[in-house]
Amino acid sequence: MGSGEWCLQKRDSFKSETLVGNETVPEIGCLSIIVLGASGDLAKKKTFPALFHLYCQGFLPPNEVHIFGYARTKISDDELRNRISGYLVSERSASPSKDVSKFLQLIKYVSGSYDAAEGFQTLDKEISKHETSKNSLEGSSRRLFYLALPPSVYPSVCRMIRRYCMNKSNLGGWTRIVVEKPFGRDLGSAEELSSQIGKLFDEPQIYRIDHYLGKELVQNLLVLRFANRFFLPLWNRDNIDNVQIVFREDFGTEGRGGYFDEYGIIRDIIQNHLLQVLCLVAMEKPVSLKPEHIRDEKVKVLQSVLPIKDEEVVLGQYEGYRDDPTVPDHSNTPTFATVILRIHNERWEGVPFILKAGKALNSRKAEIRVQFKDVPGDIFKCKKQGRNEFVIRLQPSEAMYMKLMVKQPGLEMSTVQSELDLSYRQRYQGVTIPEAYERLILDTYDPCPFLSLKYYCLQCLPLQLDKR
Ligand SMILES: NC(=O)C1=CN([C@@H]2O[C@H](COP(=O)(O)OP(=O)(O)OC[C@H]3O[C@@H](n4cnc5c(N)ncnc54)[C@H](OP(=O)(O)O)[C@@H]3O)[C@@H](O)[C@H]2O)C=CC1
Ligand SMILES: O=C1O[C@H](COP(=O)(O)O)[C@@H](O)[C@H](O)[C@H]1O
């Protein structure tokens, strides 16, 4: 590969194999993707657009795939299509408007509640109708249920799917469910949720996802840390002063109060997205890239986090939050939080990990800032100009750069802070970086050969924050 080329893993087809008993059976049946909570924010902004991108790249062939939206809101197929069409933009499509209208025709909407038989029976009928129309053999069809819903309704939705919407799987077919973060409200409810879902589905059928793990630069953390010799000796308490992991958004709840107000910024962002990033920054090298090995190292980091001190937490709520009609008038749910985590182990003792997250701030950014200690015996007296800092910008405009001290060009011997800059847009021109949800959803029905699906899953990560 030339130095400017980009290695994106490609899949030849969207066909996989599945294990039936002891035999591997090719997956030949049609695929139904059911988005539950289709009227909501996640569905509109991320799930349907990701499905559209996959469609444009040929990963959802129209002769084999159908998409269903399900929610309580009473709308027609066309109303759902209108709601999402503005979000379907693909740089990878040769004729975007044609692709959008063809894609929208794959979508059907069913309205129903999350805890009553009727809606799910109708949904099952619609899916079966589609399977029959595609001549999919009974036992070979695949059904992927994506719960774009608040976790409070996962148990009842899973019960309904189990009771009314399962298909046969003896010919390579399957039924899978994808659940979103936050997985419960605290350790107790997460364990209860796990046990409730575990009674209804086998572990290989369950995908608990955190889309931050699908972001390009989050995925890069493993490579960066463990494939580069020069980071190895520096990545510890002797050299690093502090690590900041920051998420900021420049918009508020915008009608998502139904979900957000029940959870708040800590459960929405910090406990999952930022903790996953923290684990990848802080963990030891895993034995291999197997998901269990990565998970084991993450768990060790989380188990080493000390209880958080009250004086190391700041909470806030943006002005105007309660004006959102979906937010209760007297809500004190935090929309901003800063938390300092301290990892009690040999590598990180004494290094604060500062996690910050906020909605409705003045900019949208997610980044990791690793600040190094001052150089001992500073002969240049350049401390005031700033420290060495390594910044990994997850979004927008993916980049990593290293702030370092250099000689100011010219006759004098003076110093200036400069940057070694790897901005992806410049370095990888013409390359489209996949959206996190594209990778995640694709992996639920076509597992990636290198970094397998369960890497994205939250399974078995203890909820250390809520344990106290
Ligand atoms: N929005 C985002 O960018 C992201 C969201 N997520 C996760 O996705 C899930 C859904 O989030 P999001 O779509 O933003 O939330 P929404 O508030 O938009 O809720 C999604 C849908 O769920 C239904 N719903 C909302 N509140 C309740 C409730 N209290 N009880 C039952 N049903 C309810 C509504 O559908 P109806 O009333 O029509 O049934 C709504 O359209 C959450 O777990 C969130 O953490 C993850 C990553 C990104
Ligand atoms: O999980 C969530 O993430 C989004 C932000 O995702 P991003 O990929 O756009 O950074 C956030 O808006 C939402 O509140 C939260 O549930």
Side-chain angles (χ1 to χ4, degrees):
M1 238 188 354
S3 63
E5 281 177 73
W6 171 256
C7 170
L8 256 193
Q9 139 222 324
K10 295 225 167 62
R11 294 153 163 95
D12 294 334
S13 82
F14 92 120
K15 287 278 160 60
S16 309
E17 293 182 327
T18 196
L19 211 59
V20 176
N22 288 332
E23 269 177 58
T24 318
V25 179
E27 295 181 354
I28 46 158
C30 70
L31 172 66
S32 301
I33 300 178
I34 304 101
V35 182
L36 299 126
S39 56
D41 190 74
L42 170 69
K44 170 179 76 182
K45 286 192 193 153
K46 303 215 188 269
T47 321
F48 285 116
L51 292 173
F52 178 60
H53 288 149
L54 291 172
Y55 170 81
C56 291
Q57 294 167 88
F59 289 120
L60 292 176
N63 53 337
E64 296 174 34
V65 176
H66 210 78
I67 299 166
F68 297 86
Y70 183 94
R72 298 172 302 187
T73 305
K74 291 197 175 9
I75 47 172
S76 64
D77 294 347
D78 280 339
E79 279 167 313
L80 176 68
R81 292 170 186 152
N82 287 340
R83 278 183 185 214
I84 61 173
S85 62
Y87 293 86
L88 307 179
V89 195
S90 177
E91 294 163 26
R92 278 158 274 184
S93 163
S95 53
S97 61
K98 245 194 209 162
D99 278 345
V100 169
S101 60
K102 281 191 197 155
F103 173 76
L104 289 174
Q105 288 316 307
L106 294 178
I107 302 174
K108 185 152 185 50
Y109 182 75
V110 176
S111 160
S113 79
Y114 299 120
D115 53 5
E118 203 187 338
F120 285 89
Q121 286 168 331
T122 313
L123 181 62
D124 182 60
K125 260 190 217 145
E126 291 296 333
I127 304 171
S128 302
K129 222 194 276 175
H130 153 69
E131 290 168 348
T132 312
S133 77
K134 297 280 187 260
N135 297 322
S136 199
L137 288 175
E138 202 185 15
S140 72
S141 305
R142 293 164 295 157
R143 294 183 178 189
L144 181 70
F145 290 88
Y146 189 105
L147 277 61
L149 286 166
S152 49
V153 294
Y154 295 168
S156 66
V157 168
C158 288
R159 268 197 305 277
M160 292 295 126
I161 296 171
R162 177 78 221 174
R163 202 168 295 162
Y164 300 108
C165 299
M166 301 292 281
N167 62 344
K168 294 206 174 119
S169 58
N170 52 325
L171 292 174
W174 44 249
T175 304
R176 293 178 183 162
I177 59 155
V178 180
V179 293
E180 272 287 348
K181 42 58 60 176
F183 196 71
R185 284 183 59 79
D186 51 23
L187 183 64
S189 59
E191 283 175 347
E192 196 181 327
L193 195 52
S194 231
S195 124
Q196 285 169 328
I197 298 179
K199 283 182 193 146
L200 299 167
F201 297 96
D202 296 333
E203 188 55 35
Q205 295 178 286
I206 308 168
Y207 298 93
R208 307 168 186 85
I209 59 173
D210 182 321
H211 78 283
Y212 265 58
L213 291 171
K215 289 194 186 279
E216 187 61 41
L217 266 74
V218 175
Q219 297 219 321
N220 204 351
L221 283 171
L222 282 178
V223 182
L224 209 62
R225 285 203 50 208
F226 301 118
N228 287 298
R229 181 78 200 211
F230 54 68
F231 284 121
L232 299 178
L234 294 183
W235 213 254
N236 55 42
R237 63 192 298 268
D238 297 334
N239 300 290
I240 292 175
D241 181 81
N242 69 79
V243 178
Q244 300 175 25
I245 304 174
V246 180
F247 165 95
R248 26 167 102 236
E249 238 171 24
D250 55 0
F251 53 89
T253 41
E254 295 179 348
R256 286 177 72 211
Y259 152 72
F260 186 87
D261 196 70
E262 244 186 278
Y263 294 91
I265 197 76
I266 295 180
R267 293 185 177 88
D268 189 44
I269 301 290
I270 295 185
Q271 183 277 327
N272 30 77
H273 300 329
L274 299 198
L275 269 193
Q276 287 286 353
V277 172
L278 174 137
C279 287
L280 291 168
V281 171
M283 73 186 197
E284 300 301 317
K285 188 191 282 188
V287 175
S288 77
L289 288 180
K290 277 193 184 156
E292 308 80 51
H293 289 152
I294 297 176
R295 179 204 57 201
D296 289 349
E297 293 308 329
K298 288 178 172 178
V299 169
K300 282 189 216 158
V301 172
L302 293 175
Q303 285 173 333
S304 305
V305 174
L306 296 173
I308 298 162
K309 295 184 189 141
D310 284 350
E311 62 273 25
E312 296 194 327
V313 178
V314 176
L315 300 177
Q317 187 185 81
Y318 68 82
E319 231 180 288
Y321 172 67
R322 297 180 213 171
D323 297 343
D324 182 332
T326 59
V327 169
D329 290 344
H330 302 291
S331 166
N332 65 355
T333 298
T335 63
F336 173 89
T338 298
V339 178
I340 299 183
L341 297 194
R342 297 183 183 271
I343 302 172
H344 180 58
N345 67 16
E346 201 175 330
R347 188 184 286 275
W348 296 116
E349 185 79 59
V351 181
F353 281 74
I354 304 160
L355 273 45
K356 280 188 205 171
K359 286 192 166 282
L361 298 176
N362 55 0
S363 62
R364 175 173 178 261
K365 202 176 260 186
E367 62 184 11
I368 306 162
R369 306 187 82 93
V370 181
Q371 292 203 336
F372 286 83
K373 292 189 169 169
D374 291 327
V375 173
D378 172 21
I379 55 171
F380 296 102
K381 313 260 180 290
C382 60
K383 256 187 206 166
K384 275 194 207 123
Q385 289 172 320
R387 292 168 154 170
N388 286 156
E389 194 174 17
F390 180 44
V391 182
I392 302 163
R393 191 164 64 227
L394 312 181
Q395 64 190 34
S397 311
E398 291 86 348
M400 49 182 107
Y401 54 95
M402 209 175 274
K403 289 191 183 175
L404 72 176
M405 213 53 77
V406 296
K407 177 183 166 302
Q408 171 87 55
L411 291 176
E412 283 178 33
M413 175 51 92
S414 58
T415 57
V416 67
Q417 195 173 59
S418 192
E419 281 158 16
L420 283 177
D421 186 357
L422 174 59
S423 289
Y424 275 42
R425 202 175 287 162
Q426 246 177 319
R427 184 73 177 85
Y428 301 112
Q429 288 180 20
V431 172
T432 308
I433 297 176
E435 286 295 323
Y437 273 104
E438 273 176 65
R439 296 180 210 268
L440 264 56
I441 295 176
L442 182 58
D443 264 3
T444 59
Y445 66 89
D446 182 22
C448 159
F450 302 126
L451 199 55
S452 87
L453 166 99
K454 294 279 182 184
Y455 163 71
Y456 305 113
C457 295
L458 307 167
Q459 77 194 106
C460 300
L461 283 192
L463 301 177
Q464 190 82 17
L465 269 178
D466 299 310
K467 215 170 173 179
R468 297 177 310 129

